[in-house]
């Protein structure tokens, strides 16, 4: 059993996000957690509200692109920050759930606003030990 | 950057000859120090751009170039529809029409100094800034469409600024060819509460002192006087532009196989200019340009109102407004023939020289103002387009200092509070909702702007006019 991880990595003026998990779905959820952590420290986010997100795409790379961009969209239009995600996959359809709350700048101390997930370095892979990795670069 | 692939053409120009899929050479403008400090990824990305269909002359990287996605930031490329040229959403970027406008106050440092803390607080509280900030103006769909067609002209009609501002904005404030219908409903919803907001990241509103005049005659034509105060506003098309880029990047990437286009990097996803998809993207992108122009016009209005409170005599005339993330259809002379090209500038500023027909009469004699933004503690620069610039990179100059450290590296080196305190000790007042954001944007995270400006000047991209030092910075 591998620990699930949400990781950020440097990419010039932008930020790379990487999700690691025991399944493709878990890696997608962790990639979103890494994305959300570019905005706020996850520990400061109260999971008061749940937002459902569904995406369908022709392949895994586009599915990750759509999923992360859908999370960015929900954060922007709902003025919310998220701290936890769950994902289930049915073929090339993703059903996601995001938990968070309305942004409170004085408490959340938001850092930066993601503009969009790019197609740079889009990678969904299963390592030899069975771990799944989902990553891309986010324009901030 | 590894120099082994580079051929030095002049002290400030380096060339990579076409190999493999490259259709044209790649040209990088930089001095030795800048080229050595530049990431190898810039060379890789600009060579990828050189492989796109219909590219004309060369793919260019400017002195502030750094690693981006698809195009490098600080990248320029022009495409000809007559030779199956393409339009590339990643060649414009997510923050469509991000740009800078500079206002002349006629005030001096001595006027500002006693009131700068109150001025900083007032600007910070009244100009929406940072993640999740909202503008006071909420646009429903019909009015949103009118704004997307009308740009800064729409904003002036609605009481934001003056008609005299419009000639001082690129495209006279209204980007022609905008298609509000080509902008998705999601993009419009995302923009609904974001009109008149600065955003976050490297966006800012800065009160600056003119500390150096390099070209007195051009400076005089621009209305720049040593020791006087200007206000610079750096922001773009906010959520609407981000969503337009997201939507069309995806659509182009999926459509490319049917369009018979292959690219070395999916972030170079593109469509022929003469395709239905290409035309639709151009219409949506132009609508996003209008959104950015309207956004900066509204922030100008807010800024004037705040300055008017503290300095009733100040007019805050607009010097100019120029974008640095665009694709524009322009006429350029190529090998003795005038061609209509689609010039992509991603993190690059249009820099028309003297006499250009698209410049307003007041600026036509001297050339277009070009704004090179700094980062809180660093200087900014005002340059001017020159006739020779046309030959170098389709009349383009740099847009900022360019990052030299990633955001992660910056966070390891600086803390936001300390950056703010250090700058305050130097007399620079920073107001920001985000301590982490300030650390990521610390002045030391950027290249030396003087070196970038000198390189642009020496390379013949634009000429130096004035340097500006920050006094107050409202940071996203």
């Amino acid at each position: 059993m591998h620990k699930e991880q949400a990781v950020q990595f440097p990419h010039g003026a932008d930020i790379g996000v990487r999700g690691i998990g025991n399944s493709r779905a878990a890696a997608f959820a962790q990639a979103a957690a890494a994305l959300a952590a570019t905005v706020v420290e996850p520990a400061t986010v109260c999971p008061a509200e749940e937002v459902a997100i569904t995406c369908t795409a022709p392949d895994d790379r586009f599915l990750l692109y759509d999923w992360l961009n859908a999370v960015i969209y929900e954060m922007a239009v709902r003025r919310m920050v998220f701290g936890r995600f769950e994902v289930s996959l049915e073929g090339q359809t993703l059903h996601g759930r995001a938990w968070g709350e309305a942004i409170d700048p004085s408490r959340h101390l938001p850092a930066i606003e993601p503009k969009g997930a790019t197609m740079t370095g889009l990678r969904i892979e299963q390592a030899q030990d069975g771990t799944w990795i989902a990553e891309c670069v986010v324009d901030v | 950057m590894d120099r082994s692939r580079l051929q030095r053409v002049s002290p400030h120009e380096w060339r990579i000859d076409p190999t493999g899929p490259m259709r044209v050479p790649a040209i990088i403008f930089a001095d030795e120090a800048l080229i050595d400090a530049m990431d190898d990824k810039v060379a890789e990305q600009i060579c990828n751009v050189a492989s796109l269909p219909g590219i004309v002359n060369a793919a260019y990287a400017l002195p502030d170039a750094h690693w981006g996605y698809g195009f490098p930031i600080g990248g320029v490329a022009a495409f000809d529809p007559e030779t199956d040229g393409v339009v590339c959403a990643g060649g414009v970027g997510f923050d469509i029409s991000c740009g800078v406008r500079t206002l002349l106050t006629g005030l001096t440092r001595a006027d500002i100094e006693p009131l700068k803390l109150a001025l900083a607080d007032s600007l910070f509280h009244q100009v929406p800034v940072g993640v999740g900030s909202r503008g006071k103006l909420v646009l429903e769909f019909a009015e949103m469409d009118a704004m997307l067609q009308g740009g800064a002209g729409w904003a002036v009609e609605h009481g934001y600024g003056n008609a005299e501002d419009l000639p001082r904005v690129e495209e006279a404030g209204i980007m022609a060819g905008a298609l509000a219908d080509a902008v998705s409903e999601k993009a419009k919803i995302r923009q609904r509460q974001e009109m008149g907001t600065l955003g976050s990241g490297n966006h800012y509103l800065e009160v600056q002192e003119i500390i150096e005049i390099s070209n007195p005659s051009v400076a005089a034509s621009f209305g720049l006087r040593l020791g006087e105060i200007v206000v610079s506003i750096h922001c773009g098309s906010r959520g609407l532009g981000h969503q337009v880029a997201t939507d069309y990047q995806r659509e182009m990437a999926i459509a490319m196989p049917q369009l018979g286009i292959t690219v070395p990097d999916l972030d170079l996803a593109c469509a022929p200019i003469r395709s239905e998809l290409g035309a639709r993207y151009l219409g949506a992108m132009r609508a996003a340009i209008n959104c950015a122009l309207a956004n900066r016009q509204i922030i100008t209005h807010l800024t004037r109102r705040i300055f008017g409170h503290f300095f009733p005599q100040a007019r805050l005339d607009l010097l100019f407004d120029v974008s640095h993330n665009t694709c524009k259809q322009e006429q350029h002379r190529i090998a003795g023939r005038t061609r209509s090209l689609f010039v992509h500038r991603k993190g690059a500023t249009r820099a028309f020289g003297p006499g250009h027909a698209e410049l307003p009469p007041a600026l036509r004699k001297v050339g277009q103002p070009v704004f090179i933004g700094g980062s809180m503690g660093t200087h900014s620069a005002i340059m001017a387009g020159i006739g020779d610039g046309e030959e170098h990179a389709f009349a383009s100059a740099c847009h900022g200092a360019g990052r030299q450290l990633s955001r992660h590296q910056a966070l390891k080196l600086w803390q936001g509070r300390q950056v703010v305190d250090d700058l305050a000790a130097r007399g620079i007042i920073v107001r920001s909702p985000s301590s982490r954001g300030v650390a990521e944007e610390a002045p030391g995270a950027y290249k030396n702007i003087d070196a970038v400006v000198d390189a642009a000047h020496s390379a013949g991209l634009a000429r130096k006019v004035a340097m500006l030092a920050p006094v107050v910075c409202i940071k996203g």
Side-chain angles (χ1 to χ4, degrees):
Chain A
M1 190 71 174
H2 301 279
K3 193 174 185 304
E4 293 184 347
Q5 280 185 286
V7 179
Q8 294 170 13
F9 59 91
H11 185 281
D14 304 314
I15 295 177
V17 296
R18 178 182 299 136
I20 301 170
N22 293 320
S23 64
R24 200 162 58 106
F28 273 57
Q30 290 302 314
L35 163 66
T38 64
V39 185
V40 290
E41 179 60 44
T44 67
V45 180
C46 173
E49 190 179 336
E50 179 186 328
V51 175
I53 299 170
T54 299
C55 323
T56 301
D59 65 29
D60 276 359
R61 288 184 307 170
F62 285 108
L63 196 57
L64 180 61
Y65 177 85
D66 286 354
W67 162 236
L68 295 180
N69 277 312
V71 171
I72 290 170
Y73 179 80
E74 296 297 340
M75 284 195 286
V77 300
R78 293 174 187 271
R79 299 308 197 258
M80 282 182 73
V81 287
F82 295 126
R84 190 164 73 83
F85 298 87
E86 279 184 14
V87 165
S88 64
L89 295 169
E90 291 175 48
Q92 292 309 126
T93 295
L94 178 152
H95 300 284
R97 293 194 293 171
W99 286 270
E101 62 178 322
I103 190 165
D104 175 353
S106 63
R107 185 161 53 83
H108 293 121
L109 306 174
I112 204 151
E113 179 181 47
K115 296 171 188 163
T118 75
M119 295 187 175
T120 293
L122 267 179
R123 183 164 78 104
I124 298 95
E125 281 179 9
Q126 188 174 24
Q128 284 191 333
D129 65 357
T131 306
W132 282 87
I133 296 167
E135 70 179 39
C136 86
V137 171
V138 177
D139 187 340
V140 295
Chain B
M1 179 179 289
D2 175 9
R3 289 200 201 178
S4 63
R5 286 185 72 192
L6 306 176
Q7 177 193 340
R8 192 168 192 173
V9 179
S10 74
H12 294 90
E13 186 174 335
W14 310 74
R15 174 188 169 103
I16 303 173
D17 284 324
T19 55
M22 289 171 68
R23 298 165 193 259
V24 293
I27 303 283
I28 303 172
F29 294 102
D31 63 18
E32 283 195 351
L34 288 169
I35 205 86
D36 286 340
M38 210 173 268
D39 198 308
D40 284 315
K41 290 284 182 185
V42 173
E44 181 185 320
Q45 291 189 319
I46 204 66
C47 287
N48 287 341
V49 173
S51 73
L52 293 176
I55 188 166
V56 175
N57 270 10
Y60 300 96
L62 304 180
D64 55 338
H66 53 279
W67 186 19
Y69 48 90
F71 275 52
I73 313 300
V76 178
F79 300 86
D80 188 345
E82 300 282 346
T83 55
D84 299 325
V86 293
V87 60
C88 174
V92 174
F94 275 87
D95 199 358
I96 296 169
S97 199
C98 184
V100 179
R101 66 164 50 189
T102 295
L103 306 162
L104 308 170
T105 70
L107 301 167
T108 65
R109 180 70 182 254
D111 294 325
I112 292 280
E113 201 58 34
L115 294 168
K116 72 178 181 184
L117 285 172
L119 177 65
D121 288 336
S122 193
L123 288 166
F124 180 57
H125 287 117
Q126 294 186 54
V127 178
V129 60
V131 180
S133 59
R134 304 172 189 209
K136 287 191 175 153
L137 177 67
V138 178
L139 293 187
E140 302 304 336
F141 280 153
E143 201 56 45
M144 177 79 69
D145 285 357
M147 180 275 290
L148 294 175
Q149 299 295 147
W154 171 89
V156 168
E157 275 177 20
H158 286 72
Y160 300 101
N162 317 308
E164 298 82 57
D165 293 335
L166 297 178
R168 297 285 185 144
V169 182
E170 271 189 300
E171 320 297 341
I174 305 167
M175 184 71 222
L179 296 173
D181 288 349
V183 175
S184 69
E185 188 175 301
K186 283 178 79 172
K188 292 172 186 175
I189 291 171
R190 199 164 161 180
Q191 188 62 23
R192 201 168 161 266
Q193 298 181 81
E194 294 197 351
M195 292 308 298
T197 63
L198 271 177
S200 68
N202 62 0
H203 295 153
Y204 59 76
L205 185 157
E206 214 165 77
V207 179
Q208 302 158 323
E209 179 186 0
I210 302 165
I211 56 159
E212 181 186 315
I213 299 279
S214 313
N215 188 320
S217 65
V218 177
S221 297
F222 285 177
L224 301 170
R225 285 179 282 275
L226 195 65
E228 287 196 351
I229 297 293
V230 299
V231 178
S232 294
I233 297 164
H234 174 213
C235 61
S237 50
R238 308 292 295 116
L240 183 134
H242 307 167
Q243 193 64 39
V244 166
T246 299
D247 293 342
Y248 281 94
Q249 175 81 13
R250 182 186 197 275
E251 193 172 349
M252 286 178 180
I254 290 174
M256 277 196 303
Q258 286 82 44
L259 295 168
I261 297 173
T262 54
V263 293
D265 175 348
L266 261 189
D267 267 318
L268 292 175
C270 53
I273 293 160
R274 287 190 171 162
S275 65
E276 184 276 334
L277 175 54
R280 194 155 38 82
Y281 169 71
L282 283 167
M285 187 266 305
R286 289 165 178 156
I289 289 176
N290 279 331
C291 180
L293 300 182
N295 194 41
R296 291 196 287 272
Q297 188 67 32
I298 293 170
I299 294 173
T300 297
H301 171 75
L302 298 175
T303 304
R304 283 176 173 153
R305 203 171 61 188
I306 295 159
F307 266 76
H309 172 75
F310 291 99
F311 309 102
Q313 77 279 20
R315 283 174 44 91
L316 272 69
D317 290 331
L318 178 57
L319 168 55
F320 202 62
D321 178 311
V322 60
S323 303
H324 47 236
N325 281 356
T326 59
C327 173
K328 297 273 181 81
Q329 185 173 11
E330 298 169 6
Q331 311 298 313
H332 288 276
R333 294 282 293 174
I334 309 292
R337 184 163 73 91
T338 299
R339 292 165 68 177
S340 181
L341 305 178
F342 287 73
V343 184
H344 293 60
R345 296 185 179 90
K346 183 177 183 181
T349 308
R350 190 161 81 174
F352 284 152
H356 199 287
E358 289 197 31
L359 293 178
L363 297 171
R364 199 168 293 157
K365 260 186 163 177
V366 287
Q368 180 212 300
V370 173
F371 305 122
I372 317 292
S375 182
M376 295 184 286
T378 64
H379 297 163
S380 295
I382 297 179
M383 304 184 79
I386 50 180
D388 290 349
E390 181 89 4
E391 296 166 16
H392 293 305
F394 300 109
S396 307
C398 36
H399 82 309
R403 284 194 86 93
Q404 63 176 353
L405 298 180
S406 71
R407 293 183 181 280
H408 283 82
Q409 288 170 309
L411 281 177
K412 285 178 186 166
L413 289 172
W414 295 288
Q415 291 187 321
R417 185 70 252 167
Q418 192 61 48
V419 171
V420 171
D421 290 346
D422 289 349
L423 291 172
R426 290 170 47 198
I428 302 165
I429 307 304
V430 175
R431 292 286 182 269
S432 172
S434 171
S435 179
R436 192 171 116 194
V438 167
E440 291 182 1
E441 291 288 322
Y446 285 81
K447 297 178 194 176
N448 179 342
I449 195 164
D450 296 313
V452 168
V453 169
D454 285 344
H457 179 91
S458 300
L461 298 170
R463 56 181 160 171
K464 289 198 290 186
V465 177
M467 295 299 287
L468 314 172
V471 180
V472 169
C473 180
I474 309 303
K475 190 73 176 168

